[in-house]
Amino acid sequence: MIKLQNEDGCQELPVIDLAGLMSKDEGARAKCASEIAVASSEWGFFQVVNHGISPKLLSQMRKEQIELFNASFSRKSTCGLLNNSYRWGTPTATAPDNFSWSEAFHIPLAKISDQSCYGEFSSLREVLVEYAAAMQKVARQLAEVLIKNLGQEFEEFEEMIKYDESTCFLRLNRYPACEISPEIYGLVPHTDSDFLTILHQDQVGGLQLIKDSKWIAVNPNKDALIVNIGDLFQAWSNDLYKSVEHKVMGNPKMERFSVAYFLCPSYDSLIKSCRQPPIYTNFTFAQYRAKVHEDSRLFGRKFGLSRFLRS
Ligand SMILES: O=C(O)CCC(=O)C(=O)O
Ligand SMILES: [Fe+2]
C-alpha cells in the first residue's frame, strides 16, 4: 500500500503562472517555459493559473455538466445523445479494485458542434464549443513549449502529428458519492493515452498522482487548471517528460465533477522518439490505441508504453 505523502505536507504540485508565456520580457518567457519543462519531467503533472480561460466559461461549463448528469439514466444512455458517448462504471471490471465509480460522456471534438448530438440540451452545445476551443488553445500553447524545449520546431511537429478533430476529445466526468467502501475508486489508476491532458475539477478533491513512488493528493485550487503529460509525450521525449499514474478516490458524502481535454494526434501519426537511442519502437497512434484496447479486453488493464519498449 503506497502511503499518501502530502498528508504531512511534504510535497505540493507545482503551480505555474502562464502569464509568463505572454510577457514582453524574454527572461520571463524563458523562466515560465523552463518551469513547464521541469515540472513535466520531474512530476508529469502541474497546475496552471492565469491560463486565459474565463471563470465565467468554466462556471457555465460546470452548470451545464450538472444539468446533463441530473438527467435520468435512460435519457443519458439514449441513442444519439453526445455521440452515444455515455459510459458508467467499468464494463471490463472483474474485481472491485478495477471498477471505477463514475459516469462520463466522452465526446470527440468533431462532434461538438453537431446540433443533432444535443436534443433538449441545446445550451450545452454553445458552452462546449467555446470550452473546447479555449482548452485547445491552452493545450497547443503548452505543447509548443514542450516541443521547443526538446529542440524541435513546433510547426514541423504540428505538420507531423496533425491534431485530429476525431481523436482529440473532451470527457465530462461525474463521480457520485460512494458510501459502499472507501476502497472503491472513482477512477482506477491509469495513465492517459494522449500527448497531454488539461483538467478542470471542482472543489471536492480526490485526484491523486504518483510522485517518487508515493501517492500525492491534488488539493483543489479554484483558479487553476491541472495539466498532465500523456503516454505519447513520454514516448516522443524518450522518457524526458513523464506520463504518471493517477487515480480518483471515491468520496463517501459528496459527488464530484471534472472535465478533461485530451490532446491527441491523427490516427496515422507516427510517434517516434526525438532522441537517440530511442527507448520505444515507433508506432502510430492507431497502433497504440489498438494495443490499449486489446490489453483491456484480454487482461482487464492497460500496459501502455511498456508494450512498445525496444528489446
Ligand atoms: O477527474 C479527474 O480528476 C481525473 C480524470 C482523469 O484522469 C481522466 O479523465 O483521464
Ligand atoms: Fe487521466
Side-chain angles (χ1 to χ4, degrees):
M1 178 83 170
I2 299 174
K3 182 173 169 278
L4 190 56
Q5 178 163 337
N6 62 343
E7 271 172 355
D8 42 17
C10 296
Q11 299 222 51
E12 287 292 337
L13 192 59
V15 179
I16 300 175
D17 185 345
L18 275 198
L21 284 186
M22 296 296 151
S23 171
K24 290 200 176 71
D25 174 27
E26 202 186 320
R29 289 200 305 274
K31 178 171 172 285
C32 183
S34 155
E35 285 172 2
I36 292 168
V38 169
S40 300
S41 75
E42 290 183 358
W43 285 79
F45 253 85
F46 50 95
Q47 307 176 76
V48 291
V49 294
N50 292 320
H51 40 66
I53 301 184
S54 77
K56 183 165 166 240
L57 177 59
L58 294 172
S59 71
Q60 279 175 327
M61 181 68 250
R62 186 61 23 86
K63 179 174 159 286
E64 294 289 341
Q65 181 181 13
I66 292 172
E67 266 170 39
L68 176 68
F69 280 112
N70 272 343
S72 66
F73 175 75
S74 61
R75 181 65 191 104
K76 286 183 280 198
S77 48
T78 307
C79 202
L81 183 62
L82 293 175
N83 198 40
N84 305 323
S85 64
Y86 179 67
R87 301 285 178 273
W88 65 273
T90 312
T92 51
T94 52
D97 70 355
N98 52 36
F99 182 83
S100 294
W101 190 264
S102 52
E103 54 178 342
F105 288 91
H106 185 288
I107 319 152
L109 291 203
K111 292 287 175 183
I112 276 179
S113 53
D114 185 341
Q115 204 96 48
S116 69
C117 283
Y118 290 89
E120 72 276 30
F121 299 100
S122 52
S123 53
L124 173 62
R125 179 175 170 273
E126 206 177 305
V127 175
L128 268 185
V129 167
E130 198 185 334
Y131 189 91
M135 286 292 162
Q136 184 163 44
K137 192 168 160 214
V138 179
R140 289 171 80 159
Q141 214 178 4
L142 294 168
E144 178 167 6
V145 168
L146 291 169
I147 285 296
K148 286 182 172 163
N149 181 61
L150 296 171
Q152 295 190 308
E153 293 292 332
F154 186 57
E155 292 69 25
E156 277 173 28
F157 171 76
E158 289 214 306
E159 190 58 34
M160 277 186 278
I161 61 122
K162 296 195 181 51
Y163 305 121
D164 193 318
E165 295 251 298
S166 59
T167 58
C168 285
F169 62 96
L170 276 178
R171 184 148 72 206
L172 313 186
N173 295 309
R174 172 176 176 259
Y175 303 92
C178 179
E179 290 172 5
I180 301 172
S181 158
E183 304 289 305
I184 293 183
Y185 294 119
L187 190 57
V188 296
H190 66 282
T191 60
D192 292 348
S193 306
D194 61 352
F195 272 105
L196 59 86
T197 308
I198 305 186
L199 183 89
H200 181 240
Q201 64 167 340
D202 63 16
Q203 297 301 295
V204 173
L207 176 62
Q208 296 185 7
L209 59 105
I210 294 264
K211 169 85 165 82
D212 302 332
S213 311
K214 297 189 173 70
W215 285 107
I216 300 277
V218 179
N219 296 320
N221 171 343
K222 68 176 179 32
D223 300 321
L225 299 173
I226 298 161
V227 180
N228 67 282
I229 297 296
D231 302 339
L232 305 185
F233 242 140
Q234 176 164 329
W236 193 276
S237 68
N238 218 24
D239 278 3
L240 178 65
Y241 305 144
K242 305 288 186 320
S243 175
V244 308
E245 263 200 311
H246 52 286
K247 64 181 180 182
V248 176
M249 301 309 290
N251 185 305
K253 296 222 158 56
M254 285 159 91
E255 63 180 349
R256 172 176 183 266
F257 293 92
S258 70
V259 182
Y261 173 89
F262 297 84
L263 185 71
C264 297
S266 61
Y267 279 124
D268 59 357
S269 299
L270 192 65
I271 307 301
K272 56 173 196 233
S273 163
C274 69
R275 289 167 178 234
Q276 295 295 328
I279 296 170
Y280 306 101
T281 57
N282 295 348
F283 52 85
T284 63
F285 183 46
Q287 286 169 328
Y288 195 70
R289 287 283 300 262
K291 197 73 195 157
V292 168
H293 283 149
E294 185 185 77
D295 285 342
S296 305
R297 194 168 45 81
L298 296 178
F299 306 105
R301 57 171 292 221
K302 166 181 167 183
F303 293 93
L305 283 178
S306 64
R307 289 289 196 204
F308 295 87
L309 283 168
R310 269 175 207 267
S311 42

